[in-house]
Amino acid sequence: MTVGLPRRILTGVVASAVTAAVRGVLDAQAPGGQARWTRTNHRGEPISLLEGPAVAAGLLAGGLVGAPSTRGAVALSVATASGAAFGLVDDLGEDTTTRRKGLRGHLGALARGELTTGGLKVLGIGAGALVAAAAATPLHRADGTRRPTVGWLADVAASGALVASSANLLNLLDLRPGRALKAATLVAAPLGLGAGDGAGAGAAVLGVVGAAMDQDLAEADMLGDGGANALGATLGAAVVLSAPRPVRLAALGVVVALTVASEKVSFTRVIERTPVLREVDSWGRRPVDAPVDRSA
């Protein structure tokens, strides 16, 4: 069932309002105190991770309002919730004295029998992605006949990999103010305007971005793993709901290629050396030597 334009607008409004409301509540009473959610950004300045749970709440609310069906609602909710939950585990429970870098570092630790919070995140988001993909993938064809089990399982595996790898990739972009939110917008806009079943999720992402962008660009907030993984997982699930198999496989190939490249190449350096990317990346961001204004 295609989500109509009025419902997409409502979805974006709900997602934005919930994000802003939850962020306000968390600012007044952060679980465990503000210090637990404060980190140091690339400038060496304090920044809050509370944007992450606020964004996840907005995505969950928007996903429910804009879901095309019960199947779609389950897929989006599981993908978003697992990304948020296991991302927050890594945000709040990571042992910085034995920090592992990148997907390869976490997988290497798992191979040695060492379960880091990052490794737990890989397993948890991966499991959630498979459940979401199973919910999103119909067991029957349009004519009502049942699909072969092997073909269905192959689709679930590929779609699950897309959801999980999308969650990871967006997290890799959350290294500079606004970068991950801008990347999410580039993916969400065509989804939100398109005719696929992921249109509602695309509208939810746009609503969340609208609510979170100002504080993110101001370097008062950042997504953290909880917010970035939730945002990426939502986008991955939206693509799974919207796109035919060839497009899903192509998207998976691009996301995996970028993830593999990130183990060898710094995205930040590539962006800084590419004029167009550098210009877009810097939109709305304060100059390098400008102090942050925390009076707002």
Side-chain angles (χ1 to χ4, degrees):
M1 181 182 69
T2 301
V3 177
L5 180 58
R7 192 165 159 203
R8 297 185 204 192
I9 294 172
L10 175 62
T11 296
V13 170
V14 168
S16 181
V18 170
T19 300
V22 171
R23 182 63 187 89
V25 170
L26 292 174
D27 197 41
Q29 191 172 4
Q34 291 287 346
R36 189 184 187 198
W37 298 86
T38 301
R39 297 295 183 271
T40 302
N41 69 4
H42 67 289
R43 297 181 194 261
E45 298 171 347
I47 191 168
S48 176
L49 290 172
L50 289 172
E51 178 184 338
V55 161
L59 290 171
L60 286 169
L64 291 175
V65 173
S69 61
T70 301
R71 177 173 59 83
V74 171
L76 289 167
S77 297
V78 171
T80 304
S82 60
F86 288 100
L88 285 172
V89 167
D90 199 25
D91 277 335
L92 302 178
E94 181 183 20
D95 182 358
T96 57
T97 63
T98 58
R99 187 172 184 177
R100 302 292 189 274
K101 288 192 67 176
L103 189 61
R104 182 167 54 181
H106 295 307
L107 293 177
L110 284 172
R112 295 190 298 273
E114 180 184 352
L115 182 60
T116 63
T117 55
L120 180 61
K121 183 178 73 169
V122 171
L123 295 175
I125 291 178
L130 285 173
V131 173
T137 306
L139 283 166
H140 296 85
R141 301 185 182 91
D143 61 5
T145 59
R146 188 179 178 86
R147 297 181 56 193
T149 301
V150 173
W152 182 81
L153 289 174
D155 271 353
V156 169
S159 294
L162 176 57
V163 174
S165 57
S166 297
N168 180 65
L169 180 60
L170 201 72
N171 191 37
L172 294 176
L173 295 173
D174 189 36
L175 296 177
R176 293 294 184 271
R179 181 179 295 171
L181 294 177
K182 290 172 185 175
T185 300
L186 290 176
V187 178
L191 286 168
L193 295 172
D197 284 351
V205 170
L206 293 176
V208 163
V209 168
M213 184 67 86
D214 282 351
Q215 288 292 91
D216 201 292
L217 287 173
E219 302 185 28
D221 281 356
M222 66 179 289
L223 287 165
D225 288 14
N229 286 147
L231 199 55
T234 299
L235 287 170
V239 173
V240 168
L241 288 168
S242 286
R245 182 188 297 160
V247 176
R248 295 197 305 270
L249 292 176
L252 175 61
V254 171
V255 172
V256 169
L258 289 172
T259 301
V260 171
S262 73
E263 298 287 338
K264 298 289 186 181
V265 179
S266 166
F267 286 167
T268 295
R269 289 180 183 176
V270 172
I271 291 170
E272 289 175 347
R273 293 171 181 174
T274 309
V276 174
L277 295 178
R278 184 173 65 244
E279 181 68 21
V280 173
D281 191 50
S282 66
W283 283 348
R285 190 183 302 166
R286 65 188 173 103
V288 174
D289 58 351
V292 64
D293 180 7
R294 299 188 183 278
S295 62

mmCIF file of all heavy atoms in Angstrom, residues 37 39 49 52-53 56 78-94 106 117-126 167-168 171 174 222-231 233:
data_model
loop_
_atom_site.group_PDB
_atom_site.id
_atom_site.type_symbol
_atom_site.label_atom_id
_atom_site.label_comp_id
_atom_site.label_asym_id
_atom_site.label_seq_id
_atom_site.Cartn_x
_atom_site.Cartn_y
_atom_site.Cartn_z
ATOM 1 N N TRP A 37 26.690 11.387 29.217
ATOM 2 C CA TRP A 37 26.379 11.547 27.805
ATOM 3 C C TRP A 37 27.284 12.566 27.115
ATOM 4 O O TRP A 37 27.052 12.911 25.963
ATOM 5 C CB TRP A 37 24.920 11.977 27.643
ATOM 6 C CG TRP A 37 23.967 10.961 28.166
ATOM 7 C CD1 TRP A 37 23.525 10.832 29.454
ATOM 8 C CD2 TRP A 37 23.336 9.911 27.427
ATOM 9 N NE1 TRP A 37 22.653 9.770 29.555
ATOM 10 C CE2 TRP A 37 22.527 9.184 28.337
ATOM 11 C CE3 TRP A 37 23.369 9.521 26.095
ATOM 12 C CZ2 TRP A 37 21.768 8.094 27.952
ATOM 13 C CZ3 TRP A 37 22.604 8.435 25.692
ATOM 14 C CH2 TRP A 37 21.824 7.732 26.603
ATOM 15 N N ARG A 39 30.858 13.805 25.533
ATOM 16 C CA ARG A 39 32.101 13.315 24.937
ATOM 17 C C ARG A 39 32.907 14.514 24.438
ATOM 18 O O ARG A 39 32.473 15.655 24.532
ATOM 19 C CB ARG A 39 31.806 12.358 23.766
ATOM 20 C CG ARG A 39 31.070 11.086 24.166
ATOM 21 C CD ARG A 39 31.895 10.194 25.065
ATOM 22 N NE ARG A 39 31.187 8.944 25.379
ATOM 23 C CZ ARG A 39 30.362 8.791 26.407
ATOM 24 N NH1 ARG A 39 30.109 9.821 27.215
ATOM 25 N NH2 ARG A 39 29.786 7.630 26.637
ATOM 26 N N LEU A 49 25.772 13.360 23.533
ATOM 27 C CA LEU A 49 25.258 12.222 22.773
ATOM 28 C C LEU A 49 23.737 12.093 22.859
ATOM 29 O O LEU A 49 23.168 11.159 22.294
ATOM 30 C CB LEU A 49 25.873 10.918 23.300
ATOM 31 C CG LEU A 49 27.356 10.670 23.039
ATOM 32 C CD1 LEU A 49 27.814 9.435 23.808
ATOM 33 C CD2 LEU A 49 27.607 10.478 21.545
ATOM 34 N N GLY A 52 21.260 11.233 19.976
ATOM 35 C CA GLY A 52 21.044 9.864 19.505
ATOM 36 C C GLY A 52 19.724 9.263 19.929
ATOM 37 O O GLY A 52 18.910 8.858 19.079
ATOM 38 N N PRO A 53 19.444 9.163 21.245
ATOM 39 C CA PRO A 53 18.151 8.588 21.650
ATOM 40 C C PRO A 53 16.960 9.424 21.206
ATOM 41 O O PRO A 53 15.885 8.875 20.945
ATOM 42 C CB PRO A 53 18.253 8.521 23.185
ATOM 43 C CG PRO A 53 19.410 9.375 23.555
ATOM 44 C CD PRO A 53 20.338 9.375 22.392
ATOM 45 N N ALA A 56 16.383 8.456 17.606
ATOM 46 C CA ALA A 56 15.810 7.106 17.544
ATOM 47 C C ALA A 56 14.327 7.126 17.885
ATOM 48 O O ALA A 56 13.510 6.452 17.233
ATOM 49 C CB ALA A 56 16.560 6.180 18.496
ATOM 50 N N VAL A 78 11.884 -2.889 14.148
ATOM 51 C CA VAL A 78 12.971 -3.778 14.578
ATOM 52 C C VAL A 78 14.322 -3.236 14.120
ATOM 53 O O VAL A 78 15.295 -3.226 14.881
ATOM 54 C CB VAL A 78 12.744 -5.204 14.043
ATOM 55 C CG1 VAL A 78 13.973 -6.078 14.295
ATOM 56 C CG2 VAL A 78 11.517 -5.828 14.694
ATOM 57 N N ALA A 79 14.395 -2.794 12.865
ATOM 58 C CA ALA A 79 15.661 -2.269 12.346
ATOM 59 C C ALA A 79 16.110 -1.046 13.146
ATOM 60 O O ALA A 79 17.271 -0.950 13.571
ATOM 61 C CB ALA A 79 15.512 -1.901 10.873
ATOM 62 N N THR A 80 15.191 -0.105 13.354
ATOM 63 C CA THR A 80 15.529 1.124 14.079
ATOM 64 C C THR A 80 15.878 0.842 15.529
ATOM 65 O O THR A 80 16.876 1.353 16.058
ATOM 66 C CB THR A 80 14.355 2.119 14.019
ATOM 67 O OG1 THR A 80 14.018 2.383 12.660
ATOM 68 C CG2 THR A 80 14.702 3.420 14.709
ATOM 69 N N ALA A 81 15.063 0.031 16.190
ATOM 70 C CA ALA A 81 15.271 -0.246 17.616
ATOM 71 C C ALA A 81 16.577 -0.982 17.866
ATOM 72 O O ALA A 81 17.295 -0.685 18.826
ATOM 73 C CB ALA A 81 14.093 -1.042 18.172
ATOM 74 N N SER A 82 16.900 -1.953 17.023
ATOM 75 C CA SER A 82 18.157 -2.694 17.233
ATOM 76 C C SER A 82 19.359 -1.791 16.980
ATOM 77 O O SER A 82 20.357 -1.839 17.715
ATOM 78 C CB SER A 82 18.206 -3.926 16.334
ATOM 79 O OG SER A 82 18.140 -3.582 14.962
ATOM 80 N N GLY A 83 19.274 -0.941 15.953
ATOM 81 C CA GLY A 83 20.360 0.004 15.707
ATOM 82 C C GLY A 83 20.561 0.940 16.876
ATOM 83 O O GLY A 83 21.693 1.193 17.311
ATOM 84 N N ALA A 84 19.456 1.462 17.420
ATOM 85 C CA ALA A 84 19.540 2.393 18.542
ATOM 86 C C ALA A 84 20.037 1.700 19.807
ATOM 87 O O ALA A 84 20.947 2.192 20.483
ATOM 88 C CB ALA A 84 18.176 3.019 18.793
ATOM 89 N N ALA A 85 19.455 0.556 20.130
ATOM 90 C CA ALA A 85 19.778 -0.112 21.391
ATOM 91 C C ALA A 85 21.238 -0.555 21.452
ATOM 92 O O ALA A 85 21.953 -0.268 22.420
ATOM 93 C CB ALA A 85 18.849 -1.313 21.590
ATOM 94 N N PHE A 86 21.698 -1.249 20.414
ATOM 95 C CA PHE A 86 23.068 -1.750 20.446
ATOM 96 C C PHE A 86 24.084 -0.641 20.192
ATOM 97 O O PHE A 86 25.224 -0.721 20.654
ATOM 98 C CB PHE A 86 23.226 -2.903 19.455
ATOM 99 C CG PHE A 86 22.532 -4.153 19.902
ATOM 100 C CD1 PHE A 86 21.287 -4.492 19.388
ATOM 101 C CD2 PHE A 86 23.100 -4.968 20.857
ATOM 102 C CE1 PHE A 86 20.624 -5.631 19.818
ATOM 103 C CE2 PHE A 86 22.448 -6.115 21.295
ATOM 104 C CZ PHE A 86 21.212 -6.445 20.779
ATOM 105 N N GLY A 87 23.654 0.409 19.481
ATOM 106 C CA GLY A 87 24.520 1.569 19.344
ATOM 107 C C GLY A 87 24.723 2.266 20.672
ATOM 108 O O GLY A 87 25.836 2.681 21.015
ATOM 109 N N LEU A 88 23.653 2.392 21.454
ATOM 110 C CA LEU A 88 23.765 3.022 22.764
ATOM 111 C C LEU A 88 24.600 2.186 23.721
ATOM 112 O O LEU A 88 25.332 2.726 24.564
ATOM 113 C CB LEU A 88 22.370 3.259 23.353
ATOM 114 C CG LEU A 88 21.588 4.417 22.747
ATOM 115 C CD1 LEU A 88 20.155 4.434 23.283
ATOM 116 C CD2 LEU A 88 22.266 5.752 23.043
ATOM 117 N N VAL A 89 24.512 0.873 23.606
ATOM 118 C CA VAL A 89 25.371 0.008 24.417
ATOM 119 C C VAL A 89 26.839 0.331 24.154
ATOM 120 O O VAL A 89 27.652 0.442 25.084
ATOM 121 C CB VAL A 89 25.083 -1.476 24.120
ATOM 122 C CG1 VAL A 89 26.179 -2.368 24.698
ATOM 123 C CG2 VAL A 89 23.731 -1.881 24.682
ATOM 124 N N ASP A 90 27.184 0.515 22.887
ATOM 125 C CA ASP A 90 28.564 0.845 22.541
ATOM 126 C C ASP A 90 28.924 2.268 22.981
ATOM 127 O O ASP A 90 30.038 2.528 23.448
ATOM 128 C CB ASP A 90 28.773 0.688 21.035
ATOM 129 C CG ASP A 90 30.248 0.548 20.662
ATOM 130 O OD1 ASP A 90 31.038 0.103 21.513
ATOM 131 O OD2 ASP A 90 30.597 0.873 19.526
ATOM 132 N N ASP A 91 27.984 3.208 22.839
ATOM 133 C CA ASP A 91 28.224 4.590 23.260
ATOM 134 C C ASP A 91 28.539 4.672 24.753
ATOM 135 O O ASP A 91 29.465 5.373 25.169
ATOM 136 C CB ASP A 91 26.982 5.452 22.991
ATOM 137 C CG ASP A 91 26.904 5.953 21.560
ATOM 138 O OD1 ASP A 91 27.951 6.059 20.908
ATOM 139 O OD2 ASP A 91 25.781 6.226 21.096
ATOM 140 N N LEU A 92 27.740 3.969 25.557
ATOM 141 C CA LEU A 92 27.807 4.136 27.002
ATOM 142 C C LEU A 92 28.677 3.102 27.703
ATOM 143 O O LEU A 92 29.111 3.327 28.835
ATOM 144 C CB LEU A 92 26.392 4.092 27.601
ATOM 145 C CG LEU A 92 25.415 5.142 27.066
ATOM 146 C CD1 LEU A 92 24.042 4.955 27.704
ATOM 147 C CD2 LEU A 92 25.928 6.552 27.338
ATOM 148 N N GLY A 93 28.914 1.977 27.049
ATOM 149 C CA GLY A 93 29.638 0.902 27.727
ATOM 150 C C GLY A 93 30.995 0.563 27.158
ATOM 151 O O GLY A 93 31.663 -0.347 27.648
ATOM 152 N N GLU A 94 31.430 1.301 26.132
ATOM 153 C CA GLU A 94 32.700 0.987 25.494
ATOM 154 C C GLU A 94 33.868 1.149 26.465
ATOM 155 O O GLU A 94 33.960 2.135 27.196
ATOM 156 C CB GLU A 94 32.932 1.901 24.288
ATOM 157 C CG GLU A 94 34.237 1.618 23.564
ATOM 158 C CD GLU A 94 34.479 2.591 22.420
ATOM 159 O OE1 GLU A 94 33.858 3.681 22.423
ATOM 160 O OE2 GLU A 94 35.287 2.271 21.543
ATOM 161 N N HIS A 106 36.585 -5.106 15.458
ATOM 162 C CA HIS A 106 35.579 -5.788 16.271
ATOM 163 C C HIS A 106 35.424 -7.248 15.863
ATOM 164 O O HIS A 106 35.299 -8.128 16.718
ATOM 165 C CB HIS A 106 34.241 -5.064 16.152
ATOM 166 C CG HIS A 106 34.262 -3.679 16.716
ATOM 167 N ND1 HIS A 106 34.694 -3.390 17.989
ATOM 168 C CD2 HIS A 106 33.900 -2.481 16.184
ATOM 169 C CE1 HIS A 106 34.602 -2.093 18.221
ATOM 170 N NE2 HIS A 106 34.125 -1.523 17.132
ATOM 171 N N THR A 117 32.009 -4.261 23.329
ATOM 172 C CA THR A 117 30.706 -3.645 23.088
ATOM 173 C C THR A 117 30.486 -3.420 21.593
ATOM 174 O O THR A 117 29.357 -3.510 21.103
ATOM 175 C CB THR A 117 30.580 -2.302 23.831
ATOM 176 O OG1 THR A 117 31.673 -1.454 23.461
ATOM 177 C CG2 THR A 117 30.588 -2.508 25.331
ATOM 178 N N GLY A 118 31.587 -3.156 20.876
ATOM 179 C CA GLY A 118 31.477 -3.020 19.427
ATOM 180 C C GLY A 118 31.115 -4.341 18.772
ATOM 181 O O GLY A 118 30.322 -4.388 17.825
ATOM 182 N N GLY A 119 31.703 -5.429 19.260
ATOM 183 C CA GLY A 119 31.355 -6.746 18.731
ATOM 184 C C GLY A 119 29.918 -7.110 19.030
ATOM 185 O O GLY A 119 29.215 -7.690 18.190
ATOM 186 N N LEU A 120 29.465 -6.764 20.248
ATOM 187 C CA LEU A 120 28.064 -7.009 20.599
ATOM 188 C C LEU A 120 27.153 -6.214 19.682
ATOM 189 O O LEU A 120 26.091 -6.699 19.268
ATOM 190 C CB LEU A 120 27.831 -6.613 22.061
ATOM 191 C CG LEU A 120 26.411 -6.806 22.595
ATOM 192 C CD1 LEU A 120 26.006 -8.269 22.537
ATOM 193 C CD2 LEU A 120 26.315 -6.273 24.030
ATOM 194 N N LYS A 121 27.569 -4.993 19.355
ATOM 195 C CA LYS A 121 26.782 -4.166 18.437
ATOM 196 C C LYS A 121 26.689 -4.815 17.059
ATOM 197 O O LYS A 121 25.611 -4.850 16.450
ATOM 198 C CB LYS A 121 27.406 -2.773 18.325
ATOM 199 C CG LYS A 121 26.616 -1.818 17.450
ATOM 200 C CD LYS A 121 27.238 -0.438 17.407
ATOM 201 C CE LYS A 121 28.507 -0.439 16.585
ATOM 202 N NZ LYS A 121 28.995 0.930 16.311
ATOM 203 N N VAL A 122 27.794 -5.337 16.558
ATOM 204 C CA VAL A 122 27.791 -6.007 15.255
ATOM 205 C C VAL A 122 26.809 -7.173 15.260
ATOM 206 O O VAL A 122 25.988 -7.333 14.340
ATOM 207 C CB VAL A 122 29.202 -6.491 14.896
ATOM 208 C CG1 VAL A 122 29.160 -7.383 13.660
ATOM 209 C CG2 VAL A 122 30.134 -5.306 14.653
ATOM 210 N N LEU A 123 26.866 -7.998 16.310
ATOM 211 C CA LEU A 123 25.979 -9.161 16.400
ATOM 212 C C LEU A 123 24.522 -8.744 16.575
ATOM 213 O O LEU A 123 23.626 -9.289 15.921
ATOM 214 C CB LEU A 123 26.404 -10.052 17.570
ATOM 215 C CG LEU A 123 27.779 -10.714 17.462
ATOM 216 C CD1 LEU A 123 28.103 -11.460 18.760
ATOM 217 C CD2 LEU A 123 27.828 -11.672 16.273
ATOM 218 N N GLY A 124 24.291 -7.778 17.458
ATOM 219 C CA GLY A 124 22.922 -7.364 17.741
ATOM 220 C C GLY A 124 22.247 -6.690 16.570
ATOM 221 O O GLY A 124 21.094 -7.001 16.233
ATOM 222 N N ILE A 125 22.954 -5.757 15.939
ATOM 223 C CA ILE A 125 22.375 -5.081 14.784
ATOM 224 C C ILE A 125 22.208 -6.056 13.631
ATOM 225 O O ILE A 125 21.208 -6.013 12.898
ATOM 226 C CB ILE A 125 23.236 -3.875 14.374
ATOM 227 C CG1 ILE A 125 23.146 -2.783 15.437
ATOM 228 C CG2 ILE A 125 22.788 -3.313 13.014
ATOM 229 C CD1 ILE A 125 23.994 -1.558 15.159
ATOM 230 N N GLY A 126 23.161 -6.972 13.468
ATOM 231 C CA GLY A 126 23.039 -7.980 12.416
ATOM 232 C C GLY A 126 21.821 -8.855 12.609
ATOM 233 O O GLY A 126 21.073 -9.127 11.655
ATOM 234 N N ALA A 167 23.471 0.692 8.515
ATOM 235 C CA ALA A 167 23.619 1.199 9.876
ATOM 236 C C ALA A 167 25.082 1.507 10.176
ATOM 237 O O ALA A 167 25.415 2.559 10.744
ATOM 238 C CB ALA A 167 23.080 0.180 10.878
ATOM 239 N N ASN A 168 25.967 0.618 9.778
ATOM 240 C CA ASN A 168 27.395 0.813 10.028
ATOM 241 C C ASN A 168 27.956 1.974 9.212
ATOM 242 O O ASN A 168 28.729 2.797 9.721
ATOM 243 C CB ASN A 168 28.152 -0.469 9.698
ATOM 244 C CG ASN A 168 29.642 -0.333 9.942
ATOM 245 O OD1 ASN A 168 30.088 -0.151 11.070
ATOM 246 N ND2 ASN A 168 30.426 -0.402 8.873
ATOM 247 N N ASN A 171 27.147 5.419 10.512
ATOM 248 C CA ASN A 171 27.926 5.678 11.712
ATOM 249 C C ASN A 171 29.351 6.130 11.364
ATOM 250 O O ASN A 171 29.937 6.961 12.063
ATOM 251 C CB ASN A 171 27.969 4.422 12.580
ATOM 252 C CG ASN A 171 28.521 4.683 13.959
ATOM 253 O OD1 ASN A 171 28.279 5.725 14.563
ATOM 254 N ND2 ASN A 171 29.281 3.735 14.479
ATOM 255 N N ASP A 174 29.580 9.881 10.888
ATOM 256 C CA ASP A 174 29.275 10.773 12.006
ATOM 257 C C ASP A 174 30.555 11.249 12.685
ATOM 258 O O ASP A 174 30.749 11.064 13.894
ATOM 259 C CB ASP A 174 28.378 10.050 13.014
ATOM 260 C CG ASP A 174 27.832 10.982 14.099
ATOM 261 O OD1 ASP A 174 27.543 12.145 13.761
ATOM 262 O OD2 ASP A 174 27.705 10.537 15.256
ATOM 263 N N MET A 222 25.709 15.436 18.975
ATOM 264 C CA MET A 222 26.098 14.519 17.909
ATOM 265 C C MET A 222 25.240 13.263 18.007
ATOM 266 O O MET A 222 24.667 12.961 19.053
ATOM 267 C CB MET A 222 27.580 14.162 17.994
ATOM 268 C CG MET A 222 27.972 13.356 19.216
ATOM 269 S SD MET A 222 29.740 12.936 19.270
ATOM 270 C CE MET A 222 29.819 11.719 17.934
ATOM 271 N N LEU A 223 25.128 12.555 16.891
ATOM 272 C CA LEU A 223 24.295 11.358 16.845
ATOM 273 C C LEU A 223 24.843 10.245 17.726
ATOM 274 O O LEU A 223 24.099 9.528 18.390
ATOM 275 C CB LEU A 223 24.175 10.850 15.406
ATOM 276 C CG LEU A 223 23.303 11.644 14.459
ATOM 277 C CD1 LEU A 223 23.568 11.237 13.018
ATOM 278 C CD2 LEU A 223 21.826 11.441 14.801
ATOM 279 N N GLY A 224 26.170 10.070 17.722
ATOM 280 C CA GLY A 224 26.743 8.919 18.396
ATOM 281 C C GLY A 224 26.348 7.638 17.686
ATOM 282 O O GLY A 224 25.619 7.648 16.681
ATOM 283 N N ASP A 225 26.807 6.515 18.200
ATOM 284 C CA ASP A 225 26.464 5.225 17.589
ATOM 285 C C ASP A 225 24.963 4.964 17.651
ATOM 286 O O ASP A 225 24.370 4.445 16.705
ATOM 287 C CB ASP A 225 27.202 4.095 18.305
ATOM 288 C CG ASP A 225 28.691 4.076 17.990
ATOM 289 O OD1 ASP A 225 29.193 5.071 17.433
ATOM 290 O OD2 ASP A 225 29.348 3.075 18.304
ATOM 291 N N GLY A 226 24.336 5.320 18.783
ATOM 292 C CA GLY A 226 22.914 5.052 18.929
ATOM 293 C C GLY A 226 22.074 5.744 17.872
ATOM 294 O O GLY A 226 21.199 5.129 17.262
ATOM 295 N N GLY A 227 22.336 7.017 17.635
ATOM 296 C CA GLY A 227 21.561 7.750 16.639
ATOM 297 C C GLY A 227 21.939 7.401 15.221
ATOM 298 O O GLY A 227 21.076 7.215 14.363
ATOM 299 N N ALA A 228 23.242 7.312 14.941
ATOM 300 C CA ALA A 228 23.690 7.038 13.574
ATOM 301 C C ALA A 228 23.309 5.630 13.121
ATOM 302 O O ALA A 228 22.865 5.425 11.991
ATOM 303 C CB ALA A 228 25.203 7.234 13.475
ATOM 304 N N ASN A 229 23.475 4.641 14.007
ATOM 305 C CA ASN A 229 23.092 3.274 13.644
ATOM 306 C C ASN A 229 21.584 3.164 13.421
ATOM 307 O O ASN A 229 21.134 2.476 12.491
ATOM 308 C CB ASN A 229 23.517 2.289 14.726
ATOM 309 C CG ASN A 229 25.000 2.023 14.754
ATOM 310 O OD1 ASN A 229 25.586 1.787 15.808
ATOM 311 N ND2 ASN A 229 25.659 2.051 13.602
ATOM 312 N N ALA A 230 20.807 3.842 14.259
ATOM 313 C CA ALA A 230 19.352 3.818 14.080
ATOM 314 C C ALA A 230 18.955 4.469 12.761
ATOM 315 O O ALA A 230 18.105 3.944 12.019
ATOM 316 C CB ALA A 230 18.671 4.537 15.246
ATOM 317 N N LEU A 231 19.575 5.597 12.456
ATOM 318 C CA LEU A 231 19.262 6.316 11.217
ATOM 319 C C LEU A 231 19.641 5.489 10.000
ATOM 320 O O LEU A 231 18.867 5.370 9.038
ATOM 321 C CB LEU A 231 20.004 7.650 11.222
ATOM 322 C CG LEU A 231 19.533 8.756 10.283
ATOM 323 C CD1 LEU A 231 18.069 9.076 10.485
ATOM 324 C CD2 LEU A 231 20.376 10.010 10.499
ATOM 325 N N ALA A 233 20.048 2.199 9.829
ATOM 326 C CA ALA A 233 19.207 0.995 9.750
ATOM 327 C C ALA A 233 17.828 1.327 9.196
ATOM 328 O O ALA A 233 17.251 0.565 8.407
ATOM 329 C CB ALA A 233 19.086 0.353 11.124
#
